[in-house]
Amino acid sequence: MVLTSWLFIAVNKYIPSYRSIWTAFTVLNLYVAVLFAINLSIGSNYMFLMNKPHSHTILDYLGPWPFYLLSLEGITIVVFHLLYLPFYILKSYSFNRTTNRKSTI
């Protein structure tokens, strides 16, 4: 999946939009909702949605269940924005270059 994303960026010159951050976030949350239902039905703990892992992890600093899930939502939004930042800078640079051109007529 990651390789496909890089392929779209490198070969097809795909540049994601700001809206794609929120689309990805929505799809991720829908996936988590389905996974939560699966966890409830079979007694599993995929993506640590039901409780924290037994070993010490960064989740220990994010609060008790279910509050660490909300903390992870915030972290996810920040990380998505950081991943989008190079594309935003590229778009801004490209826009400034096209708007600062002088007319040849």
Side-chain angles (χ1 to χ4, degrees), residues 38-82:
I38 291 171
N39 283 339
L40 280 176
S41 64
I42 65 173
S44 60
N45 191 24
Y46 294 113
M47 291 183 70
F48 302 113
L49 294 175
M50 309 314 282
N51 53 34
K52 295 180 189 177
H54 298 296
S55 61
H56 295 290
T57 64
I58 194 168
L59 297 180
D60 295 333
Y61 299 103
L62 300 179
W65 186 90
F67 300 111
Y68 74 88
L69 297 175
L70 296 175
S71 299
L72 287 172
E73 291 277 315
I75 291 170
T76 301
I77 291 171
V78 169
V79 168
F80 279 10
H81 279 85
L82 288 174

Side-chain angles (χ1 to χ4, degrees), residues 13-59:
K13 306 296 185 219
Y14 174 77
I15 297 177
S17 66
Y18 182 74
R19 183 177 176 192
S20 64
I21 291 174
W22 297 105
T23 303
F25 186 72
T26 302
V27 169
L28 176 64
N29 278 291
L30 291 172
Y31 175 70
V32 165
V34 169
L35 214 53
F36 188 82
I38 291 171
N39 283 339
L40 280 176
S41 64
I42 65 173
S44 60
N45 191 24
Y46 294 113
M47 291 183 70
F48 302 113
L49 294 175
M50 309 314 282
N51 53 34
K52 295 180 189 177
H54 298 296
S55 61
H56 295 290
T57 64
I58 194 168
L59 297 180

Side-chain angles (χ1 to χ4, degrees), residues 3-15 87:
L3 185 61
T4 303
S5 299
W6 282 106
L7 187 68
F8 270 97
I9 293 167
V11 175
N12 296 337
K13 306 296 185 219
Y14 174 77
I15 297 177
F87 297 104

